[in-house]
Amino acid sequence: MARPRTARLSREIIGRAALEYVEAGHELQLVPLARRLGVSVSSLYHHVDGRDGVIRAMRQVLVTEYIAVAPEHTDWESRIRSEVELTWRMYADHPRALELMLTVVIDEPDVLRFYSALAAALGDAGLPEDEILTTIEVIDAFTFGAALDALSPEAILDPERSGELLGPLLRAHPSGAERNRRVFDRGLDFIIAGVRSRAAARG
Amino acid sequence: MARPRTARLSREIIGRAALEYVEAGHELQLVPLARRLGVSVSSLYHHVDGRDGVIRAMRQVLVTEYIAVAPEHTDWESRIRSEVELTWRMYADHPRALELMLTVVIDEPDVLRFYSALAAALGDAGLPEDEILTTIEVIDAFTFGAALDALSPEAILDPERSGELLGPLLRAHPSGAERNRRVFDRGLDFIIAGVRSRAAARG
DNA sequence: ACCTGAACACCGTTCAAGT
DNA sequence: ACCTGAACACCGTTCAAGT
């Protein structure tokens, strides 16, 4: 009974299971992951290239699930917003997976698609050509950072010991997903406004 | 000869050695770290609490090295810029250490100092009170993301296979530290401009 | 081709024993 | 108080053996 009639495993099955497992709060370990799949550890090696391969499989699952092509006909602002929103949500919904993905190199096709869509939109916005790439990288960096914000603990500071200025503000401040969402929205607003002003200044 | 006359180890010595070791490109492992310090692995446990303790010691070294109090009398913009610049440089100079620190909880006093300084500056800028915290978190997220940008490979995309729009831009684009620096500067410009416009809109 | 169990090198951590 | 060496549980990876 070493080889079942229908394959128990696949890259996708492993990636999906690992995603569930990690997002449930566990560390990514192959032994319990294999047990969860009802399979021996060494079986995993027939489908993915070790632990890093599992992480890449996780990423692949996320990308196919979240990334859709944005409609070409809408205005540049909506295109940027929807594009960045998708990427952000992909990460922010799976912050623990994101943490693992910091170490593995990202597939080039993904990056190319993301960069191309943003470059086209920024070109339409009227941004000077030599500012396009840096602006994309700013967007990239912010999206990443905003998603990682979901990893920080609920209450970062104790309102009682944060002084007269910060204390009351912290008490009125949302936490968790709500805080995370506001950070993303506000930052994206800043970026969009920045692009608009840069484009106007070109004259 | 189990106990030398002058202590060979301390929290700071361990943190500093770990920082060097990690930034040289190695993974953080206690065995080689101890060997480097001419000491047995179990000796480390008398000064720091395991591997996570080593990471916290690394962070402590960085904070005492980089973080200085900004002069109170200058205008809000310079205060924000210098404050954020310090934090960013602390991370960007040690991206591999930053990656490790994602997992361990940050000491509260550090965060309080950073948040307080920014909150005061944003207040002086005239930003509405209920927008201060979210704006700080935007700055925090962006600084983090911009520093992590230093971890991505030199050439993210191959100019030859990046199409007519992106190809030429990539060829003219700087890489490494220069690219990293520009991303940070541009993003911070966006944020400062955003704060200014928000403050003006308040009326 | 796919799955298994055993073996391997290695890791972080603990602890009784030394000074 | 500080350092050591040995022991421990556990991890990722490899591989010959099965179907």
Side-chain angles (χ1 to χ4, degrees):
Chain A
M1 212 263 256
R3 184 181 169 203
R5 195 161 287 275
T6 79
R8 266 205 266 267
L9 290 180
S10 74
R11 224 179 120 74
E12 191 191 329
I13 291 176
I14 293 173
R16 211 172 285 277
L19 216 47
E20 265 182 54
Y21 189 70
V22 162
E23 225 54 54
H26 304 97
E27 285 200 38
L28 179 60
Q29 288 173 350
L30 301 195
V31 184
L33 179 66
R35 186 174 31 227
R36 227 180 127 113
L37 284 160
V39 119
S40 93
V41 201
S42 43
S43 301
L44 301 176
Y45 284 78
H46 291 276
H47 297 90
V48 294
D49 188 11
R51 211 185 100 106
D52 276 9
V54 174
I55 298 176
R56 277 190 292 271
M58 292 166 77
R59 219 197 105 80
Q60 194 168 296
V61 168
L62 283 184
V63 168
T64 58
E65 226 160 67
Y66 277 82
I67 303 308
V69 264
E72 282 277 347
H73 60 282
T74 46
D75 60 305
W76 66 267
E77 182 175 336
S78 332
R79 264 149 64 213
I80 290 183
R81 282 190 184 275
S82 67
E83 188 78 18
V84 176
E85 164 96 23
L86 281 177
T87 312
W88 172 74
R89 207 187 305 178
M90 177 176 94
Y91 290 140
D93 288 351
H94 308 273
R96 291 169 198 275
L98 169 60
E99 202 182 332
L100 290 170
M101 292 171 198
L102 286 179
T103 23
V104 299
V105 180
I106 294 177
D107 297 351
E108 189 174 301
D110 295 350
V111 187
L112 181 56
R113 221 202 52 80
F114 183 64
Y115 275 42
S116 293
L118 287 184
L122 290 172
D124 289 355
L127 194 70
E129 287 224 338
D130 61 333
E131 297 192 12
I132 288 185
L133 266 182
T134 298
T135 304
I136 293 177
E137 285 156 358
V138 167
I139 294 173
D140 208 12
F142 170 70
T143 309
F144 231 71
L148 281 173
D149 182 63
L151 277 176
S152 60
E154 282 294 293
I156 312 171
L157 290 171
D158 179 10
E160 303 303 321
R161 295 183 292 155
S162 301
E164 280 186 28
L165 175 56
L166 236 37
L169 293 180
L170 283 165
R171 257 181 283 267
H173 200 59
S175 66
E178 168 73 9
R179 178 194 70 187
N180 200 236
R181 175 81 224 186
R182 287 204 200 181
V183 171
F184 173 71
D185 284 339
R186 175 60 47 85
L188 191 51
D189 283 347
F190 282 172
I191 290 171
I192 297 279
V195 169
R196 204 185 298 281
S197 111
R198 280 272 170 181
R202 173 153 87 147
Chain B
M1 214 262 257
R3 184 183 170 198
R5 197 161 283 276
T6 78
R8 266 203 266 267
L9 290 180
S10 74
R11 223 179 119 74
E12 191 191 327
I13 290 175
I14 294 174
R16 211 171 286 276
L19 215 46
E20 266 183 53
Y21 188 69
V22 161
E23 226 53 54
H26 304 97
E27 284 200 41
L28 178 60
Q29 288 173 351
L30 301 194
V31 184
L33 178 67
R35 184 172 34 223
R36 228 180 126 114
L37 284 162
V39 119
S40 91
V41 200
S42 44
S43 300
L44 301 176
Y45 285 79
H46 292 277
H47 298 89
V48 293
D49 188 10
R51 210 184 100 107
D52 276 10
V54 174
I55 298 176
R56 275 190 292 271
M58 293 166 75
R59 217 198 106 81
Q60 195 169 295
V61 168
L62 284 184
V63 168
T64 58
E65 226 161 66
Y66 277 83
I67 302 308
V69 264
E72 282 277 347
H73 59 282
T74 45
D75 59 305
W76 65 267
E77 183 176 335
S78 336
R79 264 149 65 214
I80 289 183
R81 283 190 183 275
S82 67
E83 187 78 19
V84 176
E85 164 95 23
L86 281 177
T87 312
W88 172 75
R89 206 185 308 176
M90 177 176 95
Y91 290 140
D93 288 351
H94 308 272
R96 291 167 196 276
L98 168 61
E99 201 182 333
L100 290 170
M101 292 172 198
L102 286 179
T103 23
V104 300
V105 180
I106 292 176
D107 296 353
E108 189 173 302
D110 295 350
V111 186
L112 180 56
R113 221 201 52 81
F114 183 65
Y115 274 41
S116 293
L118 287 184
L122 290 172
D124 289 357
L127 194 69
E129 287 224 339
D130 61 334
E131 296 191 12
I132 287 183
L133 267 182
T134 298
T135 304
I136 293 177
E137 285 155 359
V138 167
I139 293 174
D140 208 11
F142 171 70
T143 309
F144 232 72
L148 281 174
D149 182 62
L151 277 176
S152 59
E154 282 294 292
I156 313 172
L157 290 172
D158 180 10
E160 304 303 321
R161 294 182 294 156
S162 300
E164 280 185 29
L165 177 55
L166 235 38
L169 294 180
L170 283 165
R171 258 181 283 267
H173 200 58
S175 66
E178 168 73 8
R179 178 194 69 187
N180 200 235
R181 176 79 224 184
R182 287 204 201 179
V183 170
F184 174 71
D185 284 339
R186 175 62 46 86
L188 192 51
D189 284 347
F190 282 173
I191 291 171
I192 297 281
V195 169
R196 203 185 300 281
S197 113
R198 281 273 170 180
R202 173 154 88 150

